[in-house]
Amino acid sequence: MIRVAVPLAERSYDVWVGAGAAAKLDVVLPAGAKRIAVVTQAGVPDLVAVDRPLVRCEIGDGERYKTLATVEDLCRQLATAGLTRGDCVVAVGGGMVTDVGGFAAATYHRGVAVVHIPTTLLGMVDAAIGGKTGVNLPEGKNLVGAFWQPCGVLCDLDALATLPPRELKAGLGEVAKYHFLTGDDLLALPLEERVARCVAIKAEVVAADEREAPAADGATGRAVLNYGHTLAHALEIAGHHDLRHGEAVAIGLVFAAELAGELGRIDDAGIERHRRVTSEYGLDVSRPAGSDPAELVALMARDKKALDGLTFVLDGPRGVEVVSGIDRKAVEAALARMGA
């Protein structure tokens, strides 16, 4: 089993990666927590085994339940169970569960402790790490949320055996993102080391910029973790979440390369590298049939990192960075090259 530290001063915590990692729950739980509220979904493996009183709180399955209404219902379940500020929420499930469970923990009693036990590859390498929580609005993805660091994260690789093949493959979209951020050949690593390396990459970025604060000197910081996500989020909203998040990210990664090429930031070889690597990860990168470029551009303009017009994380001479004020025609041209 591999332990990766997320160094955030008094909010620092460990991420445990390996088969049977859920057994470390007692190690990461706050010492004073008397009761545990397990936030999960129907069908998710039962990975919580501790000698403390438990209450199970179920939320709906799917992005259509990633809403403020679900957070309200969940907080009412916590209140009915009598959960106090000294107790702990344990979110067990995919990225949707850790996002919603973490947001509820951040707001219930103005903040209670939370531990994440992600059960999907995407949750292990991305969603459960770094303290970002939130829900969607009809106008955009993750537009309402809070930064709320967990007490610990347990990436139990045994849970991946229960995943449908599509869910496991979709998680590779986020793994491919880390490939482009670092140049690491993550597919060459055994699964335990691959997940741990992704966690370590994210931990390093989060430690340097916990809250994705806009920097006066133009520094990019944590926003690089959104590489490929601007189009991805637009595709998810426009398609009513018929794409998995990781599938949408894969398309977004190649779109970001096409846009960088349109702007003269990278050459044709750089674009081809993005297409080749995503193909090696087994990911489809065609824009979904029937998607409306005008709708996608409108949705991308609402992206939460947009501060000055259309804003994207793009590759370039200095590496991956945030670029604002991009001309709409360049975006439309890049979308046109993505097929449909």
Side-chain angles (χ1 to χ4, degrees):
M1 199 171 300
I2 302 173
R3 181 172 65 176
V4 181
V6 183
L8 292 167
E10 72 277 4
R11 294 178 305 287
S12 298
Y13 55 94
D14 289 330
V15 181
W16 292 87
V17 180
K24 294 285 186 181
L25 182 55
D26 266 326
V27 174
V28 299
L29 280 173
K34 295 184 175 62
R35 285 179 295 177
I36 307 300
V38 178
V39 177
T40 190
Q41 295 167 321
V44 172
D46 185 3
L47 298 174
V48 176
V50 290
D51 187 21
R52 308 188 199 199
L54 297 176
V55 57
R56 182 182 173 92
C57 304
E58 284 196 4
I59 61 177
D61 187 5
E63 284 280 326
R64 67 192 181 98
Y65 291 104
K66 192 178 176 183
T67 63
L68 286 167
T70 296
V71 173
E72 178 185 2
D73 178 71
L74 179 52
C75 287
R76 293 185 67 180
Q77 290 185 61
L78 299 179
T80 300
L83 204 76
T84 72
R85 187 175 293 173
D87 294 325
C88 186
V89 169
V90 177
V92 184
M96 183 269 198
V97 174
T98 57
D99 274 7
V100 172
F103 187 36
T107 54
Y108 181 71
H109 279 316
R110 297 188 178 89
V112 298
V114 64
V115 171
H116 295 315
I117 306 181
T119 59
T120 65
L121 180 59
L122 188 147
M124 292 179 186
V125 302
D126 190 69
I129 315 299
K132 272 191 176 181
T133 71
V135 296
N136 305 332
L137 298 177
E139 292 76 14
K141 187 174 169 72
N142 295 331
L143 291 183
V144 181
F147 289 95
W148 192 247
Q149 299 295 344
C151 301
V153 180
L154 306 175
C155 300
D156 192 331
L157 300 184
D158 288 340
L160 298 181
T162 69
L163 283 184
R166 184 182 178 188
E167 289 289 349
L168 191 59
K169 184 177 178 181
L172 292 174
E174 290 286 356
V175 178
K177 175 192 75 177
Y178 291 118
H179 186 129
F180 290 119
L181 291 182
T182 64
D184 291 359
D185 184 5
L186 297 167
L187 284 181
L189 298 175
L191 180 60
E192 184 178 79
E193 293 180 25
R194 184 188 312 165
V195 172
R197 177 61 184 140
C198 290
V199 171
I201 294 166
K202 184 161 189 179
E204 182 179 355
V205 174
V206 170
D209 178 17
E210 182 181 0
R211 294 174 176 263
E212 202 171 302
D217 62 359
T220 295
R222 182 170 178 160
V224 297
L225 296 171
N226 288 137
Y227 194 38
H229 284 55
T230 307
L231 177 61
H233 289 165
L235 288 171
E236 290 177 86
I237 294 295
H240 304 289
H241 303 286
D242 53 348
L243 284 175
R244 302 292 191 270
H245 177 67
E247 294 170 336
V249 167
I251 299 169
L253 289 169
V254 172
F255 164 75
E258 292 283 3
L259 180 55
E262 182 71 22
L263 297 172
R265 295 178 55 84
I266 63 174
D267 58 16
D268 289 346
I271 298 172
E272 177 54 32
R273 180 173 68 90
H274 279 71
R275 289 188 174 275
R276 175 179 53 78
V277 169
T278 49
S279 176
E280 289 172 355
Y281 279 79
L283 300 163
D284 182 15
V285 295
S286 298
R287 182 160 57 86
S291 56
D292 179 5
E295 181 186 14
L296 295 176
V297 172
L299 287 167
M300 288 189 284
R302 296 178 192 155
D303 186 82
K304 61 184 182 298
K305 60 180 178 298
L307 298 175
D308 180 19
L310 285 161
T311 301
F312 295 87
V313 180
L314 299 176
D315 201 357
R318 299 185 300 179
V320 175
E321 61 184 350
V322 177
V323 183
S324 297
I326 295 175
D327 184 74
R328 181 188 180 102
K329 290 182 179 179
V331 176
E332 291 171 344
L335 282 172
R337 287 198 294 273
M338 293 295 296

